[in-house]
Amino acid sequence: MRRGERHGRARRRELGALVAVMAAVTLGACGVTPRTEAAPTKTVTVLPKGAEIVHPSPPSASTSCDATASLPPPATMPTPGQMPKGSYMAQIQARGYLKVGVDQNTYLWGYRDPVTGQLTGFDTDMLRQISDAIFGSDDPKYIHFVIVPNADRAQAVQEGEVDVVAETMTINCAREKLVNFSTVYYEAGQKILVPAGSTITGPQDLGGKRVCAPAGSTSLENLVAPGMPRHIQLWAANDTTDCLVMLQQGQVDAISTDDAILIGLAAQDPNTKIVGTPAFSSEPYGMAMSKSHPDFTSFVNGVLAEVRANGTWAQIYDSYLQPFIGGPAPAPPAATYR
Amino acid sequence: MTAPLSHPTLGPEARSEAVRRATPARLRFAAVTIGVLALLTGLVGALATTQRQSATTAAWQAAEPLMVTAQAIDTSLSDADTTAAASFLQGRVEPAALQSRYETDLTSASADVAAAARDAGSDPQLAASLETLSTDLPLYAGIVQEADFNERQAFYPLAAAYLAEANNLMRSSILPAAAQVYGTEVDRLASEHTTAVSPWLVALAAAFLVALLVALVVAQRRLTRHFHRRWNVALAVATAIVLVVGVWAAVALATQDSGVNDAQANGSRPVSTFTDARIVALRAQADDELTLLTRDSDPSYQADYRTAAADLTRLLAPADTGAATPSSFEADQLTKADAAFGLYTSLHRQIRAADEAGELAGAVALASGSGSHQLPAVSSRLNSTLSAGIDGSQTTFVRASSGAAADLNGLTWGVAIAAILVALLALIGFQPRIAEYR
């Protein structure tokens, strides 16, 4: 998987030089007189679309709730392909496919494999377990992927656009009011991604640095929480991958968000490292479903219980995350029920 | 003035009248007036024809090629943007045909920017736009290369993020600069056209010509009356020359006028329409590709698609040319393009429907497959119809413009020589009468 033999950083320097030479040649060749301020020192800043400096407010005091406790699974799981009459799963079966909401730009979690053209990743594989459990077959025709923007995840579930969303979505009390969450299927936490040579070792070193996080995320809020260094220059990008583009272009010094996502970014740039262990926030991931059919949430929890128990969880972990984290697969997060 | 007058056939009263009115000074004055009037008429006429001929020539030999260059920059860049997205959407690393199309687009755009810069003149806004193009194009190429590099590593999301950044640079900086260059050249051509059919100098020349004719006729009538000569050969010849040159100029200018208008109505105007349509069509295609490709969090591509589609519908509607009827060629190409866009629109709906129903793989297949009803083939049909429209209108433009310029060939010299001849003939025509007083 790790194919970045060429040093991305060195390559980028070459590229920068090439760009400068080309610009000079083009300018010279066509006789455009550069304006005085446009001399060779002129730096053209190209940012990803929508990237901007932001000033978020600190996270609101956590409302006490036990959001990670979900509905218990049914006493006996229905046989795949024979969903109980009147259940929401029977409706899905009648429709002929499960509609799931995913991301296609989060490496290792939900992304399109350029070789097969198929959506793949930890989240998408977990979702396939649900369609397998409903239809009793892993034929791809039984699962339809809908790309749901991060900001629309709860809405897509509430409005029935999709049956279930699995998109590195942190279970929290605010979201718990809008949707039903499954039990926790991955324990993430906020860390920091920096260039390999960086002196930043944890959040305490971020003072005065430029740090990127996805727009509208709790990651941004956590960076201005009490106890964090002051004067962090915060950049919000539309997408975490845009943060990596900015890091590679030298426009930010660090990226800070869920370690699960950072692992995917680090996997795309061998010249980076993840620091800030242990994580300075807890981000338990859950699948989101509509509150209108709690039987479906119970069913999904049943699938997750099987997936934890029968080694599938470890298998999925091994195929996406293990190569970049190393060591044996940890125990899957334990389920808690109401 | 004191010399005795003698005119055998005039009575004393009439003679004294003739003496009073046809003194040599008056005759000289009339001769000089007609001569000067002839020279002025010639001068203004020559200026008018020179202005028109040089503007007509400048329009098709200088301004129009520049407009074509600017148009080529704009379309090459739009095409590069679409092609870069298409090649990523196809998922195979560097499909050879798309790769070479992208490279051709970029190299020809760079060459055209250099060419445009050579002829930019001193327009500061134009220079600034060309500088933006010169500096941003290599940056753009660098970012696309970075996307390509990451795609080769199978770092697909990062590749897509770079591609989105490149697209953003293209749309927020490069294409607006290219559009500005194109707009400047379109305006320049329009101003050459306005000069080429400018009526003011021609009207002034015509006024001089009429005054000259009147002066010649009046002079001849008076000379006939007072000196009882039926013909003043020199003045009669002068009058004939004025009439002939006047008719020649009127016919030539009218033909040139209609040629220039033809060049504009059936040449540069449809070139502009087809160019705008082509750029918008490419943008709509890039919107569809990028929607699938890069952004699960960016609905702006589809919003932009709707704007682009509305623009394209307006551009492809039967041309509203005012009084002029669009040529059958233009009407045909518009109809064909509209039909091709109809196919594109229905394919766009299928792609959106598939994507929204969660059949992403199906949507991607529709948007990148090689079948005749999939996006690459459908969009290339639309593109090639529009380029055929550009090329055909371009040919009409060059034919009509060069014809219009040729209509005025020799007229300037003709007018100038005729003016000198008429002035000389006026002097010659009066000379014997003046001599009678010596």
Side-chain angles (χ1 to χ4, degrees):
Chain A
M1 205 65 188
R2 196 178 277 266
R3 266 178 279 171
E5 275 101 24
R6 286 186 66 182
H7 275 221
R9 196 144 282 273
R11 194 191 131 83
R12 263 182 293 286
R13 258 200 307 279
E14 277 165 36
L15 189 70
L18 178 71
V19 164
V21 168
M22 281 170 74
V25 166
T26 321
L27 274 175
C30 59
V32 173
T33 318
R35 288 165 300 185
T36 38
E37 76 271 28
T41 49
K42 177 180 177 183
T43 49
V44 181
T45 312
V46 184
L47 288 169
K49 187 177 176 183
E52 57 181 0
I53 294 177
V54 291
H55 305 280
S57 26
S60 48
S62 58
T63 40
S64 62
C65 79
D66 192 4
T68 54
S70 184
L71 300 172
T76 49
M77 284 293 280
T79 315
Q82 295 169 24
M83 293 299 112
K85 269 202 178 124
S87 70
Y88 187 67
M89 292 74 80
Q91 283 181 42
I92 294 171
Q93 200 181 358
R95 185 203 295 147
Y97 56 90
L98 176 72
K99 284 188 292 187
V100 300
V102 292
D103 189 354
Q104 67 162 332
N105 281 330
T106 307
Y107 194 53
L108 304 182
W109 291 86
Y111 66 104
R112 205 159 65 85
D113 186 314
V115 180
T116 63
Q118 291 301 310
L119 278 166
T120 180
F122 195 105
D123 279 336
T124 54
D125 276 15
M126 293 301 276
L127 290 166
R128 287 195 173 93
Q129 307 307 314
I130 303 173
S131 73
D132 289 0
I134 296 173
F135 294 96
S137 156
D138 61 1
D139 189 316
K141 75 179 181 191
Y142 293 125
I143 185 163
H144 281 194
F145 291 101
V146 181
I147 309 299
V148 177
N150 272 7
D152 300 346
R153 289 177 295 194
Q155 196 189 353
V157 167
Q158 284 177 305
E159 292 179 355
E161 193 195 330
V162 293
D163 300 317
V164 52
V165 155
E167 260 186 79
T168 58
M169 189 173 184
T170 301
I171 302 173
N172 65 29
C173 295
R175 290 171 179 162
E176 220 279 329
K177 291 191 175 72
L178 307 173
V179 298
N180 269 349
F181 277 110
S182 71
T183 53
V184 179
Y185 69 90
Y186 190 82
E187 278 288 357
Q190 187 163 353
K191 290 183 186 171
I192 302 164
L193 183 80
V194 292
S198 172
T199 53
I200 296 169
T201 58
Q204 71 282 355
D205 299 330
L206 291 179
K209 302 290 186 193
R210 301 163 300 170
V211 182
C212 183
S217 67
T218 50
S219 306
L220 278 172
E221 297 176 7
N222 291 338
L223 289 165
V224 291
M228 293 299 287
R230 303 176 68 182
H231 309 304
I232 302 180
Q233 190 188 94
L234 285 176
W235 280 84
N238 282 345
D239 194 294
T240 41
T241 315
D242 287 341
C243 285
L244 182 56
V245 167
M246 293 176 73
L247 187 79
Q248 292 188 342
Q249 290 177 162
Q251 291 154 345
V252 294
D253 304 304
I255 303 170
S256 182
T257 186
D258 302 352
D259 56 358
I261 297 167
L262 293 181
I263 292 164
L265 296 186
Q268 296 177 81
D269 186 345
N271 294 291
T272 57
K273 61 180 180 186
I274 296 174
V275 298
T277 309
F280 53 96
S281 78
S282 166
E283 312 287 344
Y285 287 170
M287 297 181 185
M289 288 144 288
S290 166
K291 282 185 177 294
S292 346
H293 13 264
D295 57 332
F296 184 53
T297 305
S298 292
F299 175 80
V300 166
N301 283 340
V303 175
L304 290 179
E306 285 172 5
V307 162
R308 286 187 194 94
N310 65 13
T312 310
W313 190 94
Q315 241 171 39
I316 295 174
Y317 179 93
D318 283 345
S319 41
Y320 297 103
L321 303 179
Q322 196 279 336
F324 300 99
I325 297 177
T336 54
Y337 301 110
R338 284 177 211 164
Chain B
M1 282 228 195
T2 51
L5 278 175
S6 70
H7 208 293
T9 56
L10 287 183
E13 230 177 305
R15 201 163 58 197
S16 74
E17 174 69 10
V19 169
R20 203 165 52 75
R21 298 190 58 175
T23 55
R26 275 182 173 270
L27 288 172
R28 275 196 204 98
F29 178 73
V32 169
T33 304
I34 291 177
V36 168
L37 196 55
L39 291 177
L40 277 177
T41 308
L43 182 67
V44 176
L47 279 178
T49 53
T50 307
Q51 181 202 43
R52 281 189 164 220
Q53 190 167 29
S54 69
T56 309
T57 310
W60 74 279
Q61 289 188 345
E64 214 270 347
L66 281 177
M67 189 193 81
V68 170
T69 305
Q71 167 246 306
I73 294 173
D74 215 339
T75 44
S76 303
L77 291 174
S78 302
D79 195 63
D81 192 35
T82 307
T83 310
S87 92
F88 279 84
L89 200 57
Q90 294 202 358
R92 303 183 292 277
V93 170
E94 278 184 35
L98 288 180
Q99 179 68 15
S100 92
R101 183 169 142 195
Y102 167 82
E103 279 165 6
T104 310
D105 281 338
L106 275 201
T107 40
S108 65
S110 303
D112 287 341
V113 168
R118 271 197 300 277
D119 299 308
S122 57
D123 184 336
Q125 211 189 347
L126 187 59
S129 296
L130 287 166
E131 191 194 324
T132 302
L133 289 173
S134 308
T135 49
D136 283 2
L137 269 181
L139 283 174
Y140 173 83
I143 299 171
V144 171
Q145 204 178 338
E146 198 72 5
D148 185 48
F149 167 73
N150 281 292
E151 195 199 17
R152 281 165 181 277
Q153 310 282 318
F155 299 151
Y156 185 79
L158 187 55
Y162 271 107
L163 197 67
E165 188 187 53
N167 170 265
N168 189 36
L169 176 65
M170 182 61 94
R171 289 184 180 201
S172 64
S173 173
I174 298 177
L175 286 179
Q180 203 270 324
V181 173
Y182 177 48
T184 306
E185 301 301 355
V186 167
D187 291 349
R188 203 185 281 197
L189 177 62
S191 111
E192 294 288 8
H193 271 155
T194 310
T195 312
V197 294
S198 164
W200 305 112
L201 271 179
V202 170
L204 188 62
F208 270 106
L209 189 97
V210 169
L212 177 60
L213 266 181
V214 169
L216 280 168
V217 168
V218 168
Q220 285 173 87
R221 283 187 57 171
R222 294 218 170 147
L223 287 177
T224 309
R225 221 184 303 145
H226 298 305
F227 295 95
H228 293 267
R229 304 275 170 114
R230 195 158 288 258
W231 289 103
N232 182 316
V233 177
L235 290 186
V237 170
T239 311
I241 290 175
V242 171
L243 281 172
V244 167
V245 170
V247 169
W248 175 18
V251 170
L253 287 169
T255 325
Q256 176 259 359
D257 213 280
S258 89
V260 169
N261 285 328
D262 182 34
Q264 198 165 21
N266 299 314
S268 57
R269 188 193 50 77
V271 164
S272 237
T273 308
F274 285 119
T275 301
D276 292 349
R278 182 140 188 253
I279 291 164
V280 171
L282 289 166
R283 199 178 89 203
Q285 188 191 345
D287 283 330
D288 274 342
E289 289 162 350
L290 285 156
T291 304
L292 291 177
L293 188 62
T294 52
R295 277 288 172 270
D296 63 348
S297 53
D298 195 347
S300 70
Y301 289 119
Q302 279 310 303
D304 190 73
Y305 174 88
R306 286 186 287 277
T307 316
D311 286 351
L312 196 51
T313 308
R314 182 177 50 73
L315 286 165
L316 298 182
D320 176 19
T321 53
T325 332
S327 66
S328 62
F329 169 79
E330 183 190 355
D332 283 356
Q333 287 306 118
L334 283 175
T335 311
K336 276 188 208 157
D338 197 46
F341 180 53
L343 283 179
Y344 184 94
T345 311
S346 70
L347 179 61
H348 161 82
R349 287 203 198 98
Q350 285 178 51
I351 293 172
R352 293 315 313 144
D355 190 23
E356 277 153 25
E359 292 156 20
L360 182 70
V364 170
L366 283 173
S368 64
S370 55
S372 65
H373 291 287
Q374 288 166 322
L375 189 82
V378 170
S379 65
S380 113
R381 207 170 312 156
L382 176 56
N383 267 326
S384 56
T385 311
L386 292 171
S387 347
I390 296 174
D391 294 347
S393 310
Q394 173 66 15
T395 310
T396 305
F397 179 88
V398 170
R399 185 178 41 69
S401 297
S402 58
D407 288 334
L408 299 184
N409 276 351
L411 185 58
T412 306
W413 283 108
V415 166
I417 291 168
I420 292 167
L421 274 180
V422 169
L424 286 174
L425 284 169
L427 294 180
I428 293 167
F430 279 100
Q431 196 50 43
R433 302 286 83 75
I434 295 170
E436 285 178 9
Y437 294 96
R438 292 216 174 111

